[in-house]
Amino acid sequence: MAYTRQRPSTGESPDELRARIPGWGADLDPADRPSVPKLQLHDVPGVDWDFPERQPEHQPRERSIEHAFLTPVFGTTCPPRGLSGAVRRLAYRRYSEGRAAHWLLLLAADRVDAWENHLRSFATLRPDNPITETGVRSELTRGGWSSRFGRKRADTAHQLLDPVIVAGPWVAVAAAALVAAKRARRR
């Protein structure tokens, strides 16, 4: 069972697994593991529980289908909401963490969440400003261009794609709005 001291039953003995899977159990012998002294939980203060106290779940959180229940402690600062939350819940409900579909859906949910927040900002007195918030101005005023050459910075490999990735969606939305406005004017 997850999150407890009890180890789950694998159904097969270590000898059966070793015979069936090449290399399985290479670290079973404690003499081969340098971390064995740290794994001795006897006489360690504060490690005498069978199961940690569970954090109350005030609203449903997403959880992996590999686990029987939610972890005893979980984050509550960014609960899933809106369309991005629905995509996240779908990823956790339908796909294992070992499948690419799970992670691709989570990436898509992040992009949807970003656009939900961009759209939400237009309803405020301080809407998002993609020009100043991406640091384009500091590239010109703070020596951004000169700091990229001769210093072996890791981000220089993708700097040509950054404007496309950051500005591309904004340009696409502006173009779509312009086309929609033209079509509305023709009617």
Side-chain angles (χ1 to χ4, degrees):
M1 176 183 287
Y3 317 119
T4 63
R5 295 196 292 193
Q6 292 80 25
R7 305 186 88 185
S9 172
T10 59
E12 295 181 74
S13 71
D15 292 332
E16 291 169 336
L17 289 171
R18 189 175 293 122
R20 186 170 59 86
I21 304 170
W24 188 92
D27 60 347
L28 275 183
D29 185 4
D32 294 338
R33 290 183 285 161
S35 63
V36 164
K38 294 178 183 176
L39 296 177
Q40 304 298 326
L41 298 179
H42 311 294
D43 302 328
V44 176
V47 189
D48 54 352
W49 45 262
D50 286 329
F51 190 83
E53 182 180 343
R54 294 184 64 99
Q55 177 180 351
E57 185 180 359
H58 297 297
Q59 65 182 71
R61 289 304 316 249
E62 63 278 9
R63 67 172 176 81
S64 171
I65 59 175
E66 285 95 2
H67 298 276
F69 44 82
L70 197 61
T71 56
V73 178
F74 50 89
T76 59
T77 57
C78 300
R81 62 182 176 195
L83 180 61
S84 62
V87 173
R88 283 192 178 99
R89 283 188 284 272
L90 173 70
Y92 279 101
R93 186 178 57 241
R94 184 166 293 176
Y95 297 105
S96 161
E97 291 179 358
R99 303 230 2 227
H102 174 84
W103 299 106
L104 290 173
L105 281 172
L106 291 180
L107 285 172
D110 283 346
R111 295 296 82 214
V112 169
D113 186 45
W115 275 98
E116 286 175 339
N117 285 304
H118 289 318
L119 294 175
R120 191 173 297 124
S121 76
F122 289 122
T124 66
L125 296 176
R126 305 187 98 193
D128 288 349
N129 184 346
I131 295 173
T132 58
E133 291 173 359
T134 56
V136 170
R137 183 175 170 210
S138 66
E139 290 288 328
L140 303 173
T141 60
R142 305 271 180 178
W145 185 258
S146 62
S147 70
R148 285 191 163 69
F149 296 103
R151 299 187 184 207
K152 298 183 179 180
R153 286 178 47 175
D155 61 340
T156 56
H158 60 79
Q159 68 182 2
L160 292 176
L161 288 176
D162 288 348
V164 175
I165 293 171
V166 173
W170 289 97
V171 172
V173 168
L178 184 64
V179 169
K182 283 184 177 180
R183 287 186 181 170
R185 188 180 296 173
R186 287 182 193 161
R187 293 183 185 171

